Amino acid sequence: MGRPPLHQQPNASLAYWMRRCNLSNKKLARLVTARGAEQGVTGLGTDESRVRAWLKGSLPRDPVPRLIVEVISAASGLDLTFADVGMPGEGEPVGPRTPWTRAAALAALTQITRSHMMLPDTRTGPEATRITTGDQLLAPLQEWAFPRTTPAQDATPEAGRRIGMSDVEGIRQITTTFRDLDNRHGGVLAPTAVLAQTDTVLSHLKTDTYTEAVGAALFSAAGDLAGVAAWMLFDAGHHASAQRTFVAALHAAAEGGDKRLGAHILQCMARQMSHLGHVDDALDLVALAQYGARRHLSPATTSMLAALEARFQAILGHIDDSETAADRALTAFDRVNPADEDPHMAFFDAAELHATLGMAHQIAATHLEHGTARTRHVRRSTDLVGAALTARPDHRQRSRAFDHLGLARTHLAAGDADAASEETTHCLQMLGTVRSRRVTDRLGELYAEAEPFSGATPGRELREQIREHLATAG
């Protein structure tokens, strides 16, 4: 009958591939039975009820998982793994414990480009519960911080054209284009396109010929592109898929010897963990980035990591530590020369620094009773986030939406529901062109924070406009 797991969950992966391949329960059962018969496997007794059980989370006995993989691989025209269809067996999914080797880096990138699923999700959805946290996340990633103990394998593709740095530059330009799309419209729209482009880069790594230097640059470019895809998946609310893709991107960055990019990917992972409420893990990821890239950090990266540290410390209520980190962020930013920074750091400008530190002050204010200290943090938050909004480039639409939300939350901390409602209206007006589950999640937080004000008209109207948006956000 199969072995139900202790905490059985629906097999969304299998359901996805069945829909994609137009396989009904009856048809999959028939094809699995036929495949087994071709291989001399009899007595399977596979029928529609068995398939329904698999979809509910039951795990069939060997060799049925292998037969399922073979059937769906044939139907889809793709070389799927056990993990792709949510079955136990060979080809474990990408995760923190992926080995730090070139072969594993390629396999990890291949898996995330091949089996990405667009499944609905939020911070409280089932995929958010499947992310790796704590020591299971941090311990395996520690190895990123240290020099490789074995040299990377030489690239020895069997065939393909000779490629050079001009090809790598073309990939980087494409990555910049996708970043711009994400900034303008949010991550909901294009992660699949980015992953498809990553798959093209993988074909270069696997089949083309190149020098060692070009190979390292190719891995770095692949890691950066995969990092953009991971960020889009995170922004779209696909948290487990995003985390797996971040890990694959980190492996590619490590294979390319790109510590700065690795630190950038780790800070993206830290933002995701904070968003999901794992703030201690977020701080640990920032610390890993700071330590692992300590000899390579640019001023902008140093400032960005310190600013995130300030925000995360504020969330934990460590106000003094938050302000100390904020001072380090400001000091490092004074040394920034944009011309010397990597393309992936282009987003971290004065507006981004001010917004991050402004939200640290807003969060700090919520930990304090009404008084001069709270008033000081509210004033600093208003000034900083307001300056960020004024300085934001027009194409940073999602960031501008966050700025309006940040000001709304700061106004609520000051007890001004009227001003909070006005800023929320500005944010909602932008959501016709920006699709971001992160923005939606933050709106939900604002809705809860406005509850004490719901007895008066401004607070009631603020919550009503958020409720109407959330009802149609999907």
Side-chain angles (χ1 to χ4, degrees):
M1 286 294 293
R3 307 185 302 278
L6 185 60
H7 302 291
Q8 183 170 298
Q9 294 181 335
N11 190 336
S13 302
L14 179 60
Y16 167 80
W17 286 107
M18 288 177 64
R19 289 195 303 271
R20 178 165 169 171
C21 299
N22 197 27
L23 295 174
S24 64
N25 293 358
K26 182 176 182 180
K27 186 173 182 179
L28 179 60
R30 177 172 55 79
L31 291 174
V32 167
T33 299
R35 174 75 62 157
E38 291 172 3
Q39 300 175 13
V41 180
T42 58
L44 291 178
T46 305
D47 56 20
E48 291 180 78
S49 65
R50 293 284 180 89
V51 177
R52 283 196 297 271
W54 302 341
L55 290 169
K56 291 178 180 178
S58 177
L59 302 179
R61 294 189 177 91
D62 293 334
V64 175
R66 173 176 55 78
L67 297 174
I68 293 171
V69 171
E70 291 176 2
V71 165
I72 296 181
S73 293
S76 66
L78 299 169
D79 183 19
L80 300 179
T81 68
F82 287 79
D84 291 337
V85 297
M87 291 289 167
E90 301 170 4
E92 291 300 316
V94 178
R97 297 192 180 278
T98 299
W100 295 89
T101 64
R102 172 163 291 189
L106 284 169
L109 287 168
T110 299
Q111 188 179 128
I112 59 99
T113 59
R114 182 177 59 228
S115 61
H116 162 59
M117 300 174 298
M118 292 298 292
L119 300 175
D121 199 7
T122 68
R123 290 182 296 180
T124 58
E127 198 180 296
T129 67
R130 294 197 288 272
I131 63 167
T132 305
T133 61
D135 286 343
Q136 289 185 324
L137 172 66
L138 271 299
L141 296 185
Q142 299 291 324
E143 192 171 336
W144 168 83
F146 300 101
R148 297 178 62 92
T149 56
T150 56
Q153 301 95 318
D154 292 333
T156 54
E158 297 178 359
R161 67 185 182 90
R162 184 76 170 182
I163 62 173
M165 286 298 184
S166 61
D167 298 280
V168 177
E169 182 57 31
I171 295 165
R172 288 173 174 159
Q173 290 175 4
I174 290 171
T175 303
T176 297
T177 298
F178 279 123
R179 271 204 180 91
D180 182 62
L181 285 171
D182 174 61
N183 286 326
R184 291 178 185 274
H185 304 294
V188 172
L189 299 177
T192 303
V194 184
L195 287 168
Q197 188 62 46
T198 306
D199 195 49
T200 300
V201 178
L202 281 171
S203 70
H204 292 313
L205 283 164
K206 292 176 178 179
T207 65
D208 292 344
T209 60
Y210 40 81
T211 65
E212 182 178 346
V214 170
L218 264 178
F219 266 106
S220 175
D224 196 12
L225 190 58
V228 173
W231 184 260
M232 288 182 169
L233 290 166
F234 164 38
D235 195 55
H238 303 287
H239 298 297
S241 296
Q243 188 181 66
R244 289 193 298 270
T245 308
F246 277 134
V247 170
L250 185 63
H251 276 268
E255 205 49 51
D258 195 336
K259 287 291 188 180
R260 289 186 178 186
L261 177 61
H264 171 67
I265 293 166
L266 285 167
Q267 70 88 18
C268 291
M269 296 178 71
R271 291 173 189 264
Q272 182 191 25
M273 298 307 285
S274 173
H275 187 75
L276 296 175
H278 305 285
V279 185
D280 285 326
D281 290 343
L283 273 173
D284 286 341
L285 286 165
V286 167
L288 179 60
Q290 290 168 328
Y291 176 76
R294 60 196 179 281
R295 296 186 181 89
H296 308 273
L297 290 176
S298 69
T301 306
T302 300
S303 179
M304 172 191 63
L305 292 172
L308 283 179
E309 184 182 343
R311 181 170 179 170
F312 300 154
Q313 294 286 12
I315 294 172
L316 294 173
H318 305 157
I319 308 304
D320 290 342
D321 290 336
S322 175
E323 294 198 357
T324 298
D327 288 341
R328 285 193 278 110
L330 290 166
T331 299
F333 194 80
D334 286 339
R335 298 186 286 110
V336 171
N337 179 358
D340 295 334
E341 295 292 335
D342 297 303
H344 60 255
M345 286 304 301
F347 80 99
F348 192 76
D349 53 12
E352 185 66 21
L353 172 64
H354 291 155
T356 305
L357 296 183
M359 291 313 299
H361 282 287
Q362 184 270 328
I363 294 163
T366 65
H367 289 286
L368 300 170
E369 298 294 334
H370 292 282
T372 57
R374 181 185 178 102
T375 300
R376 179 175 65 85
H377 283 293
V378 167
R379 185 179 299 116
R380 287 292 291 146
S381 178
T382 303
D383 291 345
L384 286 166
V385 181
L389 185 56
T390 299
R392 288 286 190 194
D394 289 340
H395 70 279
R396 297 290 301 278
Q397 289 295 300
R398 182 181 53 211
S399 295
R400 293 177 66 83
F402 275 122
D403 292 341
H404 284 298
L405 276 180
L407 283 174
R409 299 177 77 173
T410 301
H411 289 316
L412 275 187
D416 190 345
D418 270 319
S421 182
E422 181 179 348
E423 293 297 337
T424 303
T425 299
H426 289 315
C427 173
L428 293 176
Q429 287 171 345
M430 300 179 67
L431 297 186
T433 57
V434 176
R435 295 186 59 195
S436 166
R437 291 308 300 259
R438 287 192 298 137
V439 173
T440 301
D441 289 340
R442 295 300 182 202
L443 280 166
E445 291 179 356
L446 178 61
Y447 180 83
E449 291 168 4
E451 195 278 332
F453 300 88
S454 59
T457 300
R460 188 164 53 251
E461 291 179 349
L462 169 61
R463 282 166 59 86
E464 181 60 31
Q465 63 176 333
I466 294 175
R467 182 164 53 243
E468 289 177 0
H469 172 79
L470 296 180
T472 59

